[in-house]
Structure formats: C-alpha cells, structure tokens
Amino acid sequence: MKRVFASHNLVLAHHSRNLLETEGIETEVRNQMLSSAMGELPPAECQAEVWVVNDEDEARAFAVLRRPAPAGPDWACEGCGERSGPQFTQCWRCGALRLTP
Ligand SMILES: [Zn+2]
C-alpha cells in the first residue's frame, strides 16, 4: 500500500480515487470520517488519503494525478441540477454519475 494523495477536501480525494479506478488502479480511501474530529487531532492527521493497493501502481498513480484537468464547461447533474466542474465525473451533492460527456 502506498499513499498517493492526501487532502482536507474529501471531494477531491474521491475525485482522485475515481481517476485512478478509471485507469484500473485499485485504491482505498482512508480517514474519510476524520474531518469531524478536526480540532482534536493535528490537522495533518485529519486529511482524507488515497492509497494504491499494489505498490507497483504507485508511479502510474502519480502520473494519472498529475495530468491536467480536462477543459470544458461545467456540467449540470441530471439528478439534482447541481453544477460541477469539467474534471468531475460525479455530482458532489447527490453522488449521481455524470451521464453526458
Ligand atoms: Zn446531483
């Protein structure tokens, strides 16, 4: 297991995870619940973390995460109408997958 991403933003962590899973890289998100403990733990301990399950995927995972975000207009969720940036494949609000490319 190798940690390839950490952020206080859980949406970003999940976005990174989606990118990696799309590439066929097996991942695990840790510390998803810790943000509620913020204030009691040192901030660095409260970050959501994305780990690759297989160590040999680490280099590829970093390459995927460093790719520039796709350009394009925001898209509207078909479930709740929330608008998201082009880099997201899932609605941050209701979790619906993006249907239109
Ligand atoms: Zn939605």
Side-chain angles (χ1 to χ4, degrees):
M1 299 281 294
K2 297 276 189 185
R3 192 179 75 164
V4 295
F5 184 83
S7 172
H8 290 293
N9 186 333
L10 191 55
V11 173
L12 271 184
H14 277 281
H15 172 61
S16 301
R17 187 211 181 161
N18 284 343
L19 286 177
L20 296 173
E21 297 273 339
T22 300
E23 297 289 326
I25 298 172
E26 203 180 335
T27 61
E28 195 177 297
V29 179
R30 296 187 181 173
N31 291 353
Q32 298 193 59
M33 300 304 158
L34 274 184
S35 55
S36 59
M38 197 85 98
E40 295 164 36
L41 293 168
E45 307 274 309
C46 297
Q47 297 194 93
E49 298 176 338
V50 180
W51 291 68
V52 294
V53 174
N54 303 305
D55 289 4
E56 61 268 25
D57 285 336
E58 184 186 19
R60 201 154 61 93
F62 278 122
V64 169
L65 294 178
R66 271 200 301 265
R67 278 203 305 238
D74 289 357
W75 55 279
C77 172
E78 304 207 2
C80 69
E82 188 65 40
R83 300 194 71 81
S84 300
Q87 71 273 33
F88 295 103
T89 56
Q90 196 174 3
C91 173
W92 62 270
R93 191 176 183 202
C94 74
L97 290 174
R98 181 182 186 178
L99 298 178
T100 49

